[in-house]
Amino acid sequence: WDKHSYGYHGDDGHSFCSSGTGQPYGPTFTTGDVIGCCVNLINNTCFYTKNGHSLGIAFTDLPDRCSVKCVLLQPNLYPTVGLQTPGEVVDANFGQHPFVFDIEDYMREWRTKIQAQIDRFPIGDREGEWQTMIQKMVSSYLVHHGYCATAEAFARSTDQTVLEELASIKNRQRIQKLVLAGRMGEAIETTQQLYPSLLERNPNLLFTLKVRQFIEMVNGTDSEVRCLGGRSPKSQDSYPVSPRPFSSPSMSPSHGMNIHNLASGKGSTAHFSGFESCSNGVISNKAHQSYCHSKHQSSSLNVPELNSINVSRSQQVNNFTSNDVDMETDHYSNGVGETSSNGFLNGSSKHDHEMEDCDTEMEVDSSQLRRQLCGGSQAAIERMIHFGRELQAMSEQLRRECGKNTANKKMLKDAFSLLAYSDPWNSPVGNQLDPIQREPVCSALNSAILETHNLPKQPPLALAMGQATQCLGLMARSGIGSCAFATVEDYLH
């Protein structure tokens, strides 16, 4: 009877809206009956049900503001039951038990209505313009993720031109493949060869790649430790890809640093014969045989000592700070593995198919082996120690040049923390060793390369999908109920 209150009375079956005078609405109800109330925030109506049957719309004038505030859970509309006789008992069901009324069927009906409304949206004379724009978005998406053959075929069928040269797409494919295989050293070197100033202009990105390389060393997948490991498995946890290592020298002093002048720990010495012929662990053809099968016996460090050194190193990293890493991770790189029908193999050259590594002939099922630090090689562990020191020095240089950076500090600390555990894969920080963690690094590097070609860091199609999702969220917060039945995912299939 009060203003902005709505009710259905059991004694006479009348409906009441902000007034003591009721209107005929439905049947009476009494003991044992199940009465439901449905507020529709799409059309601001309300109807009641009795024992699972809809009684039809009772009110059509629910204020918009009431609907908005109800969505936001602010106190405007309350579910209310009025009792008249002493001793009366009611059970209230807000969804903790199945409703007697088929609410799912009602929602399907409204979902169909909303989707039909979207489908009927008038395009008018802009259809050709919109179609062209959508085709460009699809084309740029294929180019962004390196689907060469598909991008070319799509461009031909839609009378477009591919915005990036085919050779450039294949270069990005090659780098993506190396990153997703855990071969970070080769990925860094290949990037420096193909895009000489890219990492020099993006020191935080280079630092991110280096930290990932350290993690892959722990994992036993990076080329530097795999070659030192002799007959170590090709990968303890990598994607099924095997690009050919590049043998040309590194273009970054900090990347291809000669390790002869690096200390290997207190009271110990380490000599690595053959490193003159290796840049970032990648062997030239001339030094292939002697390097990959050489023995490293001059170090007096054993594994416990090495682990102790690294635990100490991981503690020291608490004092390190440097600039934030600007990484795009909204869309992870995909379609670049050899198993992809439109990925690397679709449009790759004969040269790419001939890619090999020094241990390609030693394929081992990693599931049959106990995972070991750096693949179980003492020499590889020592190289990882040296690389960790180089990484620590790089972080301190970044801090001096660019200022403090919490993200970089945490990244390095987490990576070094892997060495505090006898089984890093099953440790609290072991998720870093999961191959899935390579994908955001791959995406960030891919985006940086695209920027050098004045192409967007993210494909416009992905941005449009994100924009649509955000708009739907804003509509929901504004109390526009129809957005509940218009999810972006419904239109991706």
Side-chain angles (χ1 to χ4, degrees), residues 211-225:
V211 172
R212 187 66 218 177
Q213 184 179 3
F214 179 85
I215 294 171
E216 297 300 347
M217 284 183 169
V218 175
N219 210 16
T221 50
D222 189 71
S223 300
E224 292 202 37
V225 297

Side-chain angles (χ1 to χ4, degrees), residues 365-409:
D365 183 0
S366 62
S367 64
Q368 298 176 1
L369 297 175
R370 182 183 180 276
R371 290 181 293 191
Q372 294 178 301
L373 193 68
C374 299
S377 164
Q378 177 82 2
I381 293 175
E382 292 177 5
R383 174 56 190 140
M384 178 194 65
I385 296 288
H386 285 299
F387 189 86
R389 293 194 178 113
E390 296 171 12
L391 198 55
Q392 176 70 24
M394 182 181 180
S395 72
E396 293 170 355
Q397 181 181 354
L398 267 178
R399 182 187 61 183
R400 289 191 299 269
E401 295 177 355
C402 306
K404 295 181 179 181
N405 186 314
T406 304
N408 280 359
K409 179 179 179 180

Side-chain angles (χ1 to χ4, degrees), residues 12 25 42 81 142 159 216 230 246 250 261 285 351 376 420 469 491:
D12 57 10
Y25 172 64
I42 297 176
V81 178
L142 297 173
D159 294 326
E216 297 300 347
F246 291 84
S250 170
N261 60 352
N285 293 333
H351 172 78
T469 301
Y491 295 91

Side-chain angles (χ1 to χ4, degrees), residues 248-364:
S248 57
S250 170
M251 302 184 69
S252 168
S254 64
H255 182 64
M257 187 181 296
N258 189 312
I259 68 168
H260 281 290
N261 60 352
L262 294 174
S264 58
K266 183 178 180 181
S268 64
T269 60
H271 177 72
F272 295 85
S273 61
F275 265 88
E276 291 86 349
S277 61
C278 174
S279 175
N280 195 33
V282 182
I283 304 89
S284 64
N285 293 333
K286 182 177 179 180
H288 180 278
Q289 294 296 329
S290 62
Y291 178 81
C292 286
H293 300 92
S294 62
K295 295 182 180 179
H296 305 276
Q297 300 173 340
S298 58
S299 173
S300 61
L301 287 176
N302 56 33
V303 173
E305 290 172 340
L306 289 165
N307 283 337
S308 176
I309 290 173
N310 279 274
V311 171
S312 174
R313 178 66 60 191
S314 69
Q315 294 169 348
Q316 294 174 15
V317 77
N318 287 314
N319 299 321
F320 144 72
T321 52
S322 55
N323 263 10
D324 288 323
V325 179
D326 182 15
M327 293 178 63
E328 293 291 337
T329 57
D330 292 340
H331 189 100
Y332 295 152
S333 303
N334 52 42
V336 296
E338 289 184 341
T339 56
S340 171
S341 60
N342 278 320
F344 186 81
L345 292 182
N346 191 354
S348 61
S349 64
K350 179 180 178 181
H351 172 78
D352 296 327
H353 286 306
E354 295 172 350
M355 290 181 173
E356 300 175 346
D357 194 26
C358 59
D359 56 0
T360 301
E361 69 278 13
M362 300 178 229
E363 296 283 354
V364 179

Side-chain angles (χ1 to χ4, degrees), residues 26 35 37 152 156 179 196 248 269 297 316 327 330 343 382 426 458 463 470 475 486:
I35 306 300
C37 177
E152 285 187 301
R156 286 194 301 267
V179 173
S248 57
T269 60
Q297 300 173 340
Q316 294 174 15
M327 293 178 63
D330 292 340
E382 292 177 5
N426 294 314
Q458 287 186 312
L463 294 175
Q470 289 297 318
M475 291 169 66

Side-chain angles (χ1 to χ4, degrees), residues 8-39:
Y8 166 38
H9 287 204
D11 55 354
D12 57 10
H14 287 189
S15 63
F16 293 79
C17 173
S18 304
S19 170
T21 302
Q23 301 293 328
Y25 172 64
T28 62
F29 57 89
T30 184
T31 304
D33 288 327
V34 178
I35 306 300
C37 177
C38 178
V39 177

Side-chain angles (χ1 to χ4, degrees), residues 23 51 77 93 107-108 110 162 170 308 313 347 427 452 481:
Q23 301 293 328
N51 298 326
L77 290 177
N93 178 17
M107 289 195 294
R108 278 192 296 270
W110 270 96
V162 179
K170 288 185 178 181
S308 176
R313 178 66 60 191
S427 69
T452 65

